[in-house]
Amino acid sequence: MGHEITSDKIAIPVGDKGSTSGILTRPAAATESRAVIVAHGAGNDMTTALLVAFAEGIAKAGYPVLRFNFLYSEHGRKTPDRPEALMDAWLAACRSFKEIMGSKATSITAAGKSLGGRMAAIMAADGILPADSLIFLGYPLHPMDNKEKLRDAHLYRVKIPMLFFEGTRDPLCDLGKLDPVLKSLQTSWDLFTIEGGDHSFHVPKSLGLTEEEVFGRIVKKTIDWLKRHAGR
């Protein structure tokens, strides 16, 4: 149950770099002034199953959601763009979203799968991302083969609330390494773990959970969290 939703593909101008695509999913009658913008991870795009379920689930709860492609994935390349280009796409998505929504969306939550979330965190730490909260769908805390090389320095400078979703067998985020990072953050945070989940929240068949059920749990937790932070 929930709101009826519509999804429309939009073009997002990215300055002199051309344009990329986005999909704006909206409830027929939006009940929330908060909106969510979602970026994909390094090895996928905005049509990956997790992001589709995430966007549609949140929209059914009354929140407009925009997911978008980085330029490299839009043009069929496998190698991610340089950080500057990734950030340009993030900012372009925010601008396009605000132009479409106008005063209907007064606050923005930035969400991202892996690379997309990491870029959002770096921008939030530098004060250049127009969002007042962050959601990480699998934060890439370290390389797969080096748990000591943490990508955490910018997290300590973030001043807006953060929600982390992490799988307990994610090779890019050892929970033992994440724990002291979270305890050292200078802002409020929440952690929701997916038992048996890998970096994309796939779980062993032995747990008896479908992909739809796992993604549903992520959506439910996100909605609960968004409602708690609505007035902040």
Side-chain angles (χ1 to χ4, degrees):
M1 296 297 290
H3 296 267
E4 292 186 3
I5 60 174
T6 59
S7 291
D8 300 296
K9 192 170 184 179
I10 65 170
I12 299 173
V14 191
D16 59 2
K17 297 180 176 64
S19 66
T20 190
S21 297
I23 297 177
L24 179 59
T25 303
R26 288 184 277 189
T31 59
E32 306 292 343
S33 59
R34 176 173 298 279
V36 181
I37 302 179
V38 193
H40 63 80
N44 48 61
D45 62 18
M46 65 180 177
T47 65
T48 190
L50 170 62
L51 296 195
V52 173
F54 184 77
E56 292 182 353
I58 294 171
K60 288 176 181 177
Y63 300 88
V65 183
L66 172 66
R67 47 196 157 102
F68 69 94
N69 280 338
F70 289 118
L71 289 166
Y72 75 93
S73 59
E74 177 73 6
H75 297 294
R77 299 192 299 269
K78 294 184 178 181
T79 303
D81 299 315
R82 295 176 61 84
E84 295 80 5
L86 296 172
M87 294 180 191
D88 285 345
W90 245 120
L91 292 175
C94 292
R95 285 194 299 270
S96 292
F97 186 81
K98 287 185 175 181
E99 288 174 2
I100 294 171
M101 298 301 297
S103 61
K104 295 179 181 178
T106 58
S107 57
I108 292 175
T109 292
K113 174 74 184 82
S114 195
L115 173 68
R118 182 183 173 218
M119 287 299 107
I122 292 172
M123 297 169 72
D126 292 338
I128 61 175
L129 185 70
D132 57 17
S133 57
L134 296 171
I135 298 174
F136 304 108
L137 299 169
Y139 186 81
L141 184 62
H142 51 73
M144 189 176 300
D145 57 354
N146 188 353
K147 294 183 179 181
E148 303 305 316
K149 187 178 180 181
L150 299 185
R151 302 175 178 125
D152 63 336
H154 55 279
L155 292 175
Y156 307 117
R157 295 187 288 112
V158 175
K159 294 181 172 59
I160 56 179
M162 295 184 277
L163 171 61
F164 292 79
F165 288 98
E166 304 295 343
T168 59
R169 59 185 185 95
D170 185 347
L172 299 182
C173 187
D174 183 287
L175 293 179
K177 296 291 184 180
L178 179 63
D179 183 63
V181 171
L182 296 179
K183 291 178 178 176
S184 299
L185 296 180
Q186 301 302 305
T187 186
S188 64
W189 57 269
D190 287 271
L191 170 65
F192 186 77
T193 57
I194 301 297
E195 185 62 35
D198 63 11
H199 192 55
S200 295
F201 307 114
H202 298 137
V203 302
K205 291 182 179 179
S206 59
L207 292 180
L209 289 173
T210 66
E211 181 178 85
E212 183 180 22
E213 289 172 325
V214 173
F215 293 169
R217 291 182 180 185
I218 293 172
V219 168
K220 183 179 184 305
K221 178 65 176 181
T222 297
I223 293 169
D224 291 344
W225 188 82
L226 289 173
K227 288 179 178 178
R228 293 208 323 270
H229 290 80
R232 298 189 181 185

